[in-house]
């Protein structure tokens, strides 16, 4: 039986993803992908282990609910931009290894200018396990279909700091309104917000609450 620290490796050496998972672009309309961890544009400054392709993968249960949320927002004139979805455990290990190398501050100015790298663990920005590896967590924002631009959420994706928290007082009324729009819409379809990251949502009653998968994103 798989426990809380289980890492599922069955599909690591194949070209398939588990049958309980699917690709976001196969289910959602007009969605935009910007999978940062498959590129250099992320807080490590390098592509992340396990991201072989810039794809977004989720459990099929999460995909069903995300599709409903997507349809809801499309009717309001918005669509999703997705930064990350399922994340292999090897990618989380990459993050933790990077965080322990306190001399590597290449991306500090963009992603954590006001936070000491040595404090990323204690502040909860980096951890040895991530809900993303369970397959039902997603990082996303909204795009206005009329302008093609992201809504202003007050801080960039993956910015480590108080301004990214849902309860921050450091953003404008318009930015708060945009965050509330996303949060309310996601909650309507069963996705729960993470207090420290306005972009981060996890499906309530996720199907694999105790399993941390490690098949590559491809």
């Amino acid at each position: 039986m798989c426990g809380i620290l289980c890492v599922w490796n069955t599909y690591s050496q194949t070209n398939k993803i588990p049958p309980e998972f699917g690709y976001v672009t196969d289910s959602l309309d007009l969605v935009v992908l910007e999978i940062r961890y498959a590129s250099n544009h992320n807080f490590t400054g390098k592509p992340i282990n396990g991201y072989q392709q810039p794809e977004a993968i989720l459990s099929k249960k999460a995909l069903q609910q995300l599709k409903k949320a997507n349809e809801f927002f499309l009717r309001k004139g918005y669509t999703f931009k997705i930064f990350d979805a399922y994340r292999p455990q090897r990618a989380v290990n990459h993050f933790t290894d990077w965080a322990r190398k306190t001399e590597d501050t290449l991306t500090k100015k963009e992603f954590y200018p006001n936070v000491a790298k040595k404090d990323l663990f204690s502040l909860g920005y980096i951890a040895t396990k991530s809900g993303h590896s369970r397959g039902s967590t997603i990082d996303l924002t909204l795009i206005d279909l009329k302008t093609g631009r992201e809504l202003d959420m007050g801080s960039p994706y993956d910015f480590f700091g108080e301004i990214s928290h849902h309860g921050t007082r450091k953003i404008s009324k318009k930015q708060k309104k945009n965050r509330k729009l996303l949060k309310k819409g996601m909650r309507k379809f069963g996705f729960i917000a993470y207090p420290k990251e306005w972009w981060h949502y996890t499906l309530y009653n996720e199907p694999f609450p105790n399993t941390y998968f490690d098949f590559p994103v491809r």
Side-chain angles (χ1 to χ4, degrees):
M1 185 174 179
C2 191
I4 189 71
L5 297 182
C6 172
V7 177
W8 190 280
N9 287 295
T10 305
Y11 291 84
S12 294
Q13 305 303 319
T14 73
N15 290 320
K16 297 180 180 180
I17 63 175
E20 300 88 355
F21 287 75
Y23 290 93
V24 170
T25 50
D26 288 342
S27 298
L28 275 65
D29 295 326
L30 299 179
V31 66
V32 176
L33 300 186
E34 188 180 322
I35 307 301
R36 295 280 187 89
Y37 301 141
S39 73
N40 292 324
H41 189 201
N42 62 70
F43 58 81
T44 74
K46 298 177 181 178
I48 303 302
N49 295 343
Y51 285 82
Q52 298 178 3
Q53 295 293 331
E55 294 283 357
I57 297 169
L58 282 175
S59 71
K60 288 184 176 178
K61 184 176 180 180
L63 270 178
Q64 290 173 355
Q65 294 306 110
L66 190 68
K67 180 177 175 62
K68 294 176 183 178
N70 180 233
E71 291 169 349
F72 169 80
F73 280 115
L74 285 173
R75 291 193 295 269
K76 290 182 172 291
Y78 306 101
T79 192
F80 290 133
K81 174 181 275 192
I82 296 173
F83 299 109
D84 194 32
Y86 158 72
R87 181 183 304 165
Q89 179 61 41
R90 69 191 73 181
V92 179
N93 296 343
H94 189 160
F95 292 166
T96 57
D97 289 345
W98 167 84
R100 292 187 177 110
K101 297 175 181 177
T102 55
E103 73 282 359
D104 179 359
T105 55
L106 177 66
T107 64
K108 181 176 176 61
K109 183 177 180 180
E110 180 177 0
F111 291 100
Y112 55 106
N114 303 312
V115 177
K117 192 176 181 184
K118 65 180 178 62
D119 295 330
L120 292 178
F121 285 106
S122 62
L123 293 174
Y125 295 117
I126 300 290
T128 58
K129 295 294 173 184
S130 169
H132 282 275
S133 301
R134 301 194 299 264
S136 297
T137 292
I138 191 161
D139 293 343
L140 78 178
T141 190
L142 292 172
I143 291 178
D144 187 323
L145 290 173
K146 290 182 179 179
T147 66
R149 297 178 180 176
E150 295 178 34
L151 297 192
D152 182 0
M153 297 294 186
S155 72
Y157 168 64
D158 255 359
F159 185 86
F160 300 155
E162 183 185 341
I163 197 171
S164 294
H165 299 185
H166 277 286
T168 184
R169 296 182 179 180
K170 297 184 176 182
I171 59 176
S172 69
K173 289 183 179 180
K174 179 63 174 177
Q175 292 161 346
K176 288 180 181 178
K177 182 179 179 181
N178 290 340
R179 290 190 188 187
K180 185 177 180 180
L181 174 67
L182 177 60
K183 186 177 181 180
K184 187 176 180 180
M186 293 297 285
R187 184 172 57 201
K188 182 179 179 70
F189 299 98
F191 288 91
I192 308 303
Y194 176 53
K196 291 187 176 181
E197 299 175 348
W198 60 257
W199 54 82
H200 179 120
Y201 289 86
T202 298
L203 182 68
Y204 178 72
N205 284 337
E206 58 186 301
F208 305 108
N210 299 314
T211 304
Y212 292 81
F213 294 85
D214 194 39
F215 60 90
V217 175
R218 53 172 146 223

